[in-house]
PDB file of all heavy atoms in Angstrom:
ATOM      1  N   ASP T 103     -79.883 -17.429  30.215  1.00 92.00           N
ATOM      2  CA  ASP T 103     -78.961 -16.510  30.883  1.00 92.00           C
ATOM      3  C   ASP T 103     -77.496 -16.941  30.853  1.00 92.00           C
ATOM      4  O   ASP T 103     -76.641 -16.256  31.387  1.00 92.00           O
ATOM      5  CB  ASP T 103     -79.398 -16.325  32.339  1.00 92.00           C
ATOM      6  CG  ASP T 103     -79.426 -17.644  33.107  1.00 92.00           C
ATOM      7  OD1 ASP T 103     -79.406 -18.715  32.467  1.00 92.00           O
ATOM      8  OD2 ASP T 103     -79.487 -17.590  34.347  1.00 92.00           O
ATOM      9  N   ARG T 104     -77.191 -18.086  30.231  1.00 94.00           N
ATOM     10  CA  ARG T 104     -75.806 -18.567  30.241  1.00 94.00           C
ATOM     11  C   ARG T 104     -75.627 -19.679  29.223  1.00 94.00           C
ATOM     12  O   ARG T 104     -76.591 -20.237  28.709  1.00 94.00           O
ATOM     13  CB  ARG T 104     -75.442 -19.079  31.628  1.00 94.00           C
ATOM     14  CG  ARG T 104     -76.278 -20.265  32.062  1.00 94.00           C
ATOM     15  CD  ARG T 104     -76.132 -20.571  33.544  1.00 94.00           C
ATOM     16  NE  ARG T 104     -77.146 -21.480  33.998  1.00 94.00           N
ATOM     17  CZ  ARG T 104     -77.073 -22.809  33.906  1.00 94.00           C
ATOM     18  NH1 ARG T 104     -76.003 -23.367  33.393  1.00 94.00           N
ATOM     19  NH2 ARG T 104     -78.055 -23.559  34.340  1.00 94.00           N
ATOM     20  N   THR T 105     -74.380 -20.010  28.973  1.00 96.00           N
ATOM     21  CA  THR T 105     -74.062 -21.159  28.140  1.00 96.00           C
ATOM     22  C   THR T 105     -74.166 -22.416  28.998  1.00 96.00           C
ATOM     23  O   THR T 105     -73.627 -22.452  30.107  1.00 96.00           O
ATOM     24  CB  THR T 105     -72.633 -21.037  27.564  1.00 96.00           C
ATOM     25  OG1 THR T 105     -72.572 -19.852  26.754  1.00 96.00           O
ATOM     26  CG2 THR T 105     -72.262 -22.240  26.728  1.00 96.00           C
ATOM     27  N   LEU T 106     -74.871 -23.402  28.504  1.00 95.00           N
ATOM     28  CA  LEU T 106     -75.041 -24.641  29.258  1.00 95.00           C
ATOM     29  C   LEU T 106     -73.734 -25.426  29.317  1.00 95.00           C
ATOM     30  O   LEU T 106     -72.953 -25.434  28.371  1.00 95.00           O
ATOM     31  CB  LEU T 106     -76.111 -25.523  28.609  1.00 95.00           C
ATOM     32  CG  LEU T 106     -77.536 -25.035  28.718  1.00 95.00           C
ATOM     33  CD1 LEU T 106     -78.465 -25.929  27.911  1.00 95.00           C
ATOM     34  CD2 LEU T 106     -77.993 -24.980  30.164  1.00 95.00           C
ATOM     35  N   GLU T 107     -73.551 -26.099  30.425  1.00 95.00           N
ATOM     36  CA  GLU T 107     -72.414 -26.995  30.571  1.00 95.00           C
ATOM     37  C   GLU T 107     -72.918 -28.426  30.436  1.00 95.00           C
ATOM     38  O   GLU T 107     -74.108 -28.700  30.590  1.00 95.00           O
ATOM     39  CB  GLU T 107     -71.749 -26.784  31.933  1.00 95.00           C
ATOM     40  CG  GLU T 107     -71.155 -25.390  32.070  1.00 95.00           C
ATOM     41  CD  GLU T 107     -70.448 -25.181  33.396  1.00 95.00           C
ATOM     42  OE1 GLU T 107     -70.200 -26.170  34.117  1.00 95.00           O
ATOM     43  OE2 GLU T 107     -70.152 -24.026  33.704  1.00 95.00           O
ATOM     44  N   ASP T 108     -72.000 -29.353  30.178  1.00 95.00           N
ATOM     45  CA  ASP T 108     -72.385 -30.761  30.042  1.00 95.00           C
ATOM     46  C   ASP T 108     -73.145 -31.254  31.270  1.00 95.00           C
ATOM     47  O   ASP T 108     -74.104 -32.021  31.147  1.00 95.00           O
ATOM     48  CB  ASP T 108     -71.148 -31.641  29.828  1.00 95.00           C
ATOM     49  CG  ASP T 108     -70.643 -31.594  28.398  1.00 95.00           C
ATOM     50  OD1 ASP T 108     -71.411 -31.178  27.506  1.00 95.00           O
ATOM     51  OD2 ASP T 108     -69.478 -31.966  28.170  1.00 95.00           O
ATOM     52  N   ALA T 109     -72.735 -30.813  32.449  1.00 96.00           N
ATOM     53  CA  ALA T 109     -73.383 -31.266  33.683  1.00 96.00           C
ATOM     54  C   ALA T 109     -74.859 -30.873  33.704  1.00 96.00           C
ATOM     55  O   ALA T 109     -75.705 -31.638  34.177  1.00 96.00           O
ATOM     56  CB  ALA T 109     -72.659 -30.703  34.901  1.00 96.00           C
ATOM     57  N   ASP T 110     -75.194 -29.681  33.187  1.00 96.00           N
ATOM     58  CA  ASP T 110     -76.594 -29.236  33.145  1.00 96.00           C
ATOM     59  C   ASP T 110     -77.428 -30.153  32.259  1.00 96.00           C
ATOM     60  O   ASP T 110     -78.511 -30.601  32.639  1.00 96.00           O
ATOM     61  CB  ASP T 110     -76.686 -27.806  32.575  1.00 96.00           C
ATOM     62  CG  ASP T 110     -75.934 -26.782  33.390  1.00 96.00           C
ATOM     63  OD1 ASP T 110     -76.023 -26.832  34.630  1.00 96.00           O
ATOM     64  OD2 ASP T 110     -75.252 -25.931  32.791  1.00 96.00           O
ATOM     65  N   VAL T 111     -76.916 -30.405  31.065  1.00 97.00           N
ATOM     66  CA  VAL T 111     -77.639 -31.229  30.100  1.00 97.00           C
ATOM     67  C   VAL T 111     -77.705 -32.674  30.578  1.00 97.00           C
ATOM     68  O   VAL T 111     -78.752 -33.322  30.483  1.00 97.00           O
ATOM     69  CB  VAL T 111     -76.995 -31.128  28.708  1.00 97.00           C
ATOM     70  CG1 VAL T 111     -77.687 -32.048  27.716  1.00 97.00           C
ATOM     71  CG2 VAL T 111     -77.026 -29.685  28.206  1.00 97.00           C
ATOM     72  N   ASN T 112     -76.590 -33.174  31.119  1.00 96.00           N
ATOM     73  CA  ASN T 112     -76.572 -34.554  31.615  1.00 96.00           C
ATOM     74  C   ASN T 112     -77.580 -34.766  32.738  1.00 96.00           C
ATOM     75  O   ASN T 112     -78.248 -35.801  32.802  1.00 96.00           O
ATOM     76  CB  ASN T 112     -75.175 -34.951  32.075  1.00 96.00           C
ATOM     77  CG  ASN T 112     -74.200 -35.074  30.922  1.00 96.00           C
ATOM     78  OD1 ASN T 112     -74.593 -35.184  29.759  1.00 96.00           O
ATOM     79  ND2 ASN T 112     -72.912 -35.031  31.234  1.00 96.00           N
ATOM     80  N   ALA T 113     -77.722 -33.791  33.620  1.00 96.00           N
ATOM     81  CA  ALA T 113     -78.687 -33.897  34.722  1.00 96.00           C
ATOM     82  C   ALA T 113     -80.121 -33.935  34.178  1.00 96.00           C
ATOM     83  O   ALA T 113     -80.947 -34.743  34.617  1.00 96.00           O
ATOM     84  CB  ALA T 113     -78.514 -32.741  35.695  1.00 96.00           C
ATOM     85  N   ALA T 114     -80.427 -33.080  33.197  1.00 97.00           N
ATOM     86  CA  ALA T 114     -81.766 -33.067  32.604  1.00 97.00           C
ATOM     87  C   ALA T 114     -82.028 -34.373  31.861  1.00 97.00           C
ATOM     88  O   ALA T 114     -83.114 -34.948  31.961  1.00 97.00           O
ATOM     89  CB  ALA T 114     -81.921 -31.870  31.667  1.00 97.00           C
ATOM     90  N   MET T 115     -81.035 -34.859  31.132  1.00 96.00           N
ATOM     91  CA  MET T 115     -81.192 -36.112  30.399  1.00 96.00           C
ATOM     92  C   MET T 115     -81.410 -37.284  31.356  1.00 96.00           C
ATOM     93  O   MET T 115     -82.216 -38.167  31.082  1.00 96.00           O
ATOM     94  CB  MET T 115     -79.973 -36.380  29.511  1.00 96.00           C
ATOM     95  CG  MET T 115     -79.913 -35.522  28.267  1.00 96.00           C
ATOM     96  SD  MET T 115     -81.282 -35.827  27.119  1.00 96.00           S
ATOM     97  CE  MET T 115     -80.925 -37.503  26.599  1.00 96.00           C
TER      98      MET T 115
END
Side-chain angles (χ1 to χ4, degrees):
D103 59 344
R104 63 193 167 85
T105 299
L106 290 174
E107 296 182 13
D108 281 342
D110 300 317
V111 177
N112 291 342
M115 285 296 293

